[in-house]
Amino acid sequence: MEPYKTQLNFFFVIGTFEEEDEKLVEAINSEYAQGKDILQISIKDGYRHLIYKVLAAFQWLYENRSPKLEWMVSMDDDLHFDVEEFLNSSLTWNEDPNSLICNRVYRNFPPIRDPKESLSSKWSIPVNEWPIDRYPDFCLGWIYAVKPTLGLQFALASRSTPIISIDDMYITGIIRERLHHVKIKPMVEGWTNYLNCPAMILFRIYLLPTLAYPRELDEAWPWIQLRFFACQIIEFFTTSSYCQNLF
């Protein structure tokens, strides 16, 4: 494979803040003056507003950077990111403008109904907001990539799609399903240093969030065992990546 011949530019998307902090404003202005790498939108910053930040970035990048862009990538700011591996991996992607490139796909994922305060409550969603017992297939929100034209389509489609506060499920699941021509393309490669072996999948997705809440773990454990070992058996006999895509 030939070395990648492209450039990767980072932009940090932020919102507004409740209280005007002079030191924070000064730090943001200083960073922007130095790197021109901050996009600020006029909505309060916070986890539940990630949707607006991602979609605003997609539209802004399309309108202001589109002629020079090959891909737009949404990525968490606390991710250990292997730039060289990612760029070399991008050489294998097809040029289909309707491809949604994912590092991992969640399939048949049930919504979390957890109104009480816990480690998983930020992903909780009430029945009146999402009454269905499964989400559409969606990309894990650590990182995913789209062509500029597709990013704009996501942003425009959101104007007529009721907002669900879980950003990766809403954008790459609900909106993607509305755009019938969009296809998910899983690319489970070394973009990040998260371990993907079965034991770590079990620990990362199920056990870690419940360590601080033993009662939740006690209630969920029989279901966790059944689901985890069932998918392991499927993988063993089919040599597929079912577990990785399921979790």
Side-chain angles (χ1 to χ4, degrees):
M1 181 182 297
E2 295 183 3
Y4 56 85
K5 297 177 181 179
T6 188
Q7 183 177 4
L8 190 65
N9 293 321
F10 290 90
F11 285 86
F12 300 91
V13 187
I14 63 175
T16 58
F17 308 96
E18 285 186 354
E19 298 181 2
E20 198 69 20
D21 185 326
E22 291 184 4
K23 291 185 178 180
L24 179 59
V25 172
E26 183 179 345
I28 291 173
N29 290 338
S30 175
E31 169 65 24
Y32 180 78
Q34 182 177 358
K36 299 293 189 295
D37 56 358
I38 293 178
L39 174 63
Q40 187 170 29
I41 65 173
S42 57
I43 193 168
K44 180 183 173 183
D45 212 316
Y47 180 79
R48 294 285 180 174
H49 292 158
L50 281 174
I51 292 170
Y52 302 102
K53 293 164 70 173
V54 173
L55 294 173
F58 281 170
Q59 182 166 346
W60 185 88
L61 286 170
Y62 177 84
E63 293 174 349
N64 293 274
R65 298 287 190 272
S66 184
K68 300 178 181 180
L69 282 180
E70 286 192 60
W71 296 92
M72 297 195 296
V73 181
S74 173
M75 181 173 65
D76 286 359
D77 61 0
D78 57 354
L79 198 66
H80 183 279
F81 183 51
D82 190 324
V83 174
E84 184 173 354
E85 181 67 29
F86 176 83
L87 290 174
N88 280 324
S89 170
S90 71
L91 295 176
T92 68
W93 302 349
N94 62 44
E95 292 300 312
D96 182 359
N98 299 316
S99 289
L100 171 59
I101 310 295
C102 292
N103 188 240
R104 184 169 301 283
V105 183
Y106 278 157
R107 307 188 190 278
N108 301 312
F109 200 81
I112 297 173
R113 313 290 191 191
D114 188 11
K116 60 183 180 298
E117 189 69 25
S118 72
L119 291 177
S120 61
S121 61
K122 73 175 184 177
W123 297 294
S124 177
I125 188 167
V127 174
N128 63 348
E129 191 172 343
W130 184 260
I132 307 171
D133 63 357
R134 286 290 185 274
Y135 290 140
D137 294 352
F138 68 97
C139 297
L140 182 61
W142 291 338
I143 183 170
Y144 57 89
V146 296
K147 285 288 190 178
T149 52
L150 185 54
L152 179 65
Q153 290 177 56
F154 279 128
L156 296 178
S158 69
R159 298 178 182 180
S160 59
T161 307
I163 294 291
I164 302 294
S165 56
I166 302 173
D167 65 297
D168 46 7
M169 190 277 290
Y170 175 75
I171 295 171
T172 68
I174 295 175
I175 294 182
R176 175 195 55 77
E177 278 201 335
R178 294 197 64 194
L179 302 173
H180 301 294
H181 56 283
V182 179
K183 305 298 181 184
I184 293 179
K185 184 178 181 182
M187 298 289 289
V188 184
E189 303 199 26
W191 301 350
T192 75
N193 68 344
Y194 287 107
L195 297 179
N196 293 324
C197 63
M200 288 304 297
I201 292 172
L202 174 65
F203 179 77
R204 187 178 71 239
I205 301 299
Y206 287 106
L207 301 188
L208 185 60
T210 56
L211 287 179
Y213 299 90
R215 183 176 300 175
E216 293 179 15
L217 178 58
D218 182 62
E219 293 172 355
W221 183 244
W223 181 82
I224 292 173
Q225 286 179 307
L226 177 64
R227 186 180 186 193
F228 179 74
F229 290 110
C231 82
Q232 287 298 298
I233 292 172
I234 292 172
E235 277 204 353
F236 178 79
F237 286 105
T238 64
T239 65
S240 72
S241 58
Y242 178 79
C243 275
Q244 293 190 359
N245 285 334
L246 178 65
F247 291 104

